[in-house]
Amino acid sequence: MASIRDIAKSTGLSISTISRYINSSGYVSKDSAELIQKVIDEMDYVPNRNAQAIFNKKSGSIGLVIPSLVNPFFSEMATIIGNKIQDDGYGCVLCFTEDIPEKEEDALDLLKGYRVDGIIVARGRSVDKIQKLSIPVISFESIIADEIITVSADNYQGGRMAFEHLYEEGSRKMIHIKGPKGFIAPEERCKGFLDASADKDVAVEVLELSTDYLLEEDLDKALNQVDFRMYDGLFVFNDINCIHVISYLRRQGLSIPGDLQVIGFDNSYLSEMNLPRLTTIEQSPQEIAQVSYHCLKDLMDGTCRSTANRIIPVKLIKRDTTGSTHG
Ligand code: XLF
């Protein structure tokens, strides 16, 4: 593998000139720069990131902490953010928590150990640890502290929209399958749903799941507690669970939306692929990724002007699990 020394030898320039060029850390004449680049291309030289990290006192990498890639919302978000990180010449260190607090703490320690230049942490729960990281950090969904920017969809409004859509399409006996306690987004979605139902004086039921990652048979057990024939409208807190619930309902002989109108949350790619195609509340992974990454870059560059939380608007995506054939 070619080294800086080989490039210096081949160009006849000094190691410090080559180093200045590679690290963009000082003046190099146009002629020398062209010559160095030509030799770099010929030798297929790739800079040693570890050496650069020591020299620049920056690791050149960014950490991304998410629950897992199983949920398509997080895989889309990770793909978009990961691409942005890579396009900017950083390395992306991807860590998984599976929503287990100890795993999250280990991931944060690992990233700290790697001296990453910034971290985006999704659905983080290690409030103390995140606060004490002393690394620029952006939190997706979780509220950590005043000085830490949270990027989140407008979950409360999304919950309201879900109720209002089911109501407008004729549902009057509704149930909400709520995400686990301790996560702010499902709580807010549920609150919005309940507040909107109270405004219309319609009573709604809530079934709370114990985790976001129930195996199909455990989810079926939770769903067995409910007689879905009593209801004509259902809001599930995220698309992946919603699609499992639809499969359960169809196995019970219920038709969607004929017997029960169903709406999810996320607008992940699965919602378009499901049959019937899923009506859902969109939280755009593109926008969330864009805002999260830009805020992080501003923090890293020291150009961030406000630590106010960034709330991303949500949107109703009407497809085939609600509407015309209902009732
Ligand atoms: O934390 C919430 C619940 O699930 C997150 O935004 C998601 O909607 C992703 O599917």
Side-chain angles (χ1 to χ4, degrees):
M1 214 182 302
S3 67
I4 289 196
R5 204 171 290 279
D6 298 326
I7 298 170
K9 208 165 157 196
S10 175
T11 54
L13 297 166
S14 69
I15 289 182
S16 59
T17 307
I18 312 294
S19 166
R20 280 203 305 281
Y21 175 76
I22 290 168
N23 294 306
S24 311
S25 60
Y27 176 75
V28 178
S29 73
K30 192 166 170 275
D31 287 352
S32 298
E34 278 170 12
L35 178 61
I36 297 168
Q37 191 55 53
K38 186 169 162 279
V39 172
I40 283 178
D41 292 344
E42 278 165 13
M43 293 188 165
D44 203 13
Y45 168 79
V46 177
N48 178 336
R49 289 272 173 187
N50 293 329
Q52 278 186 326
I54 293 166
F55 180 80
N56 295 326
K57 298 200 175 63
K58 284 194 167 140
S59 72
S61 59
I62 291 176
L64 180 56
V65 183
I66 59 169
S68 86
L69 291 173
V70 173
N71 181 336
F73 173 78
F74 286 115
S75 52
E76 278 181 82
M77 182 176 151
T79 306
I80 300 166
I81 296 181
N83 272 315
K84 285 182 187 299
I85 290 175
Q86 213 170 302
D87 289 350
D88 275 356
Y90 289 92
C92 176
V93 186
L94 184 56
C95 295
F96 305 111
T97 68
E98 292 181 273
D99 288 328
I100 300 168
E102 296 74 32
K103 270 195 94 164
E104 181 184 312
E105 298 204 355
D106 289 350
L108 293 168
D109 281 343
L110 191 94
L111 294 174
K112 204 169 173 184
Y114 277 126
R115 303 285 189 272
V116 294
D117 300 327
I119 298 178
I120 297 175
V121 54
R123 230 154 69 167
R125 294 209 272 179
S126 324
V127 172
D128 264 10
K129 205 175 237 325
I130 295 174
Q131 243 178 311
K132 288 184 193 142
L133 273 175
S134 59
I135 295 173
V137 61
I138 296 292
S139 165
F140 170 62
E141 284 184 353
S142 302
I143 308 278
I144 306 293
D146 285 351
E147 66 280 9
I148 292 186
I149 299 172
T150 296
V151 176
S152 175
D154 192 343
N155 292 299
Y156 176 80
Q157 195 52 34
R160 290 197 70 98
M161 281 178 177
F163 174 85
E164 281 153 13
H165 177 63
L166 291 173
Y167 185 86
E168 274 159 26
E169 296 291 349
S171 292
R172 293 295 181 270
K173 289 171 282 170
M174 290 178 238
I175 179 160
H176 170 45
I177 296 183
K178 178 179 171 292
K181 265 203 187 74
F183 294 109
I184 192 159
E187 298 291 349
E188 287 291 300
R189 290 170 199 176
C190 180
K191 193 167 182 296
F193 190 76
L194 294 179
D195 284 356
S197 71
D199 290 350
K200 292 276 186 235
D201 220 3
V202 172
V204 293
E205 297 290 325
V206 176
L207 170 72
E208 183 174 282
L209 298 185
S210 55
T211 94
D212 189 6
Y213 294 103
L214 285 177
L215 297 171
E216 192 144 346
E217 69 189 78
D218 294 331
L219 184 59
D220 281 8
K221 263 189 221 150
L223 299 176
N224 279 339
Q225 298 167 41
V226 177
D227 179 1
F228 284 96
R229 288 185 166 72
M230 308 266 296
Y231 302 97
D232 60 7
L234 166 66
F235 167 42
V236 185
F237 77 102
N238 69 7
D239 282 354
I240 185 154
N241 279 284
C242 193
I243 285 165
H244 282 300
V245 174
I246 288 178
S247 143
Y248 170 90
L249 295 172
R250 295 179 76 181
R251 279 181 274 127
Q252 303 291 308
L254 286 163
S255 92
I256 316 289
D259 295 321
L260 194 70
Q261 306 197 81
V262 181
I263 184 165
F265 200 109
D266 284 340
N267 196 29
S268 66
Y269 63 82
L270 283 188
S271 55
E272 178 74 34
M273 288 158 71
N274 186 63
L275 261 182
R277 296 175 327 131
L278 186 65
T279 296
T280 190
I281 303 295
E282 176 179 85
Q283 57 167 345
S284 158
Q286 280 82 3
E287 234 181 304
I288 287 167
Q290 169 112 343
V291 172
S292 305
Y293 185 62
H294 276 134
C295 285
L296 182 68
K297 284 295 294 292
D298 287 350
L299 284 176
M300 285 163 49
D301 300 345
T303 55
C304 180
R305 298 203 195 298
S306 156
T307 56
N309 293 340
R310 315 298 206 258
I311 306 298
I312 316 286
V314 293
K315 179 158 105 194
L316 169 73
I317 307 290
K318 163 84 182 73
R319 295 199 185 92
D320 307 332
T321 53
T322 58
S324 57
T325 51
H326 169 68

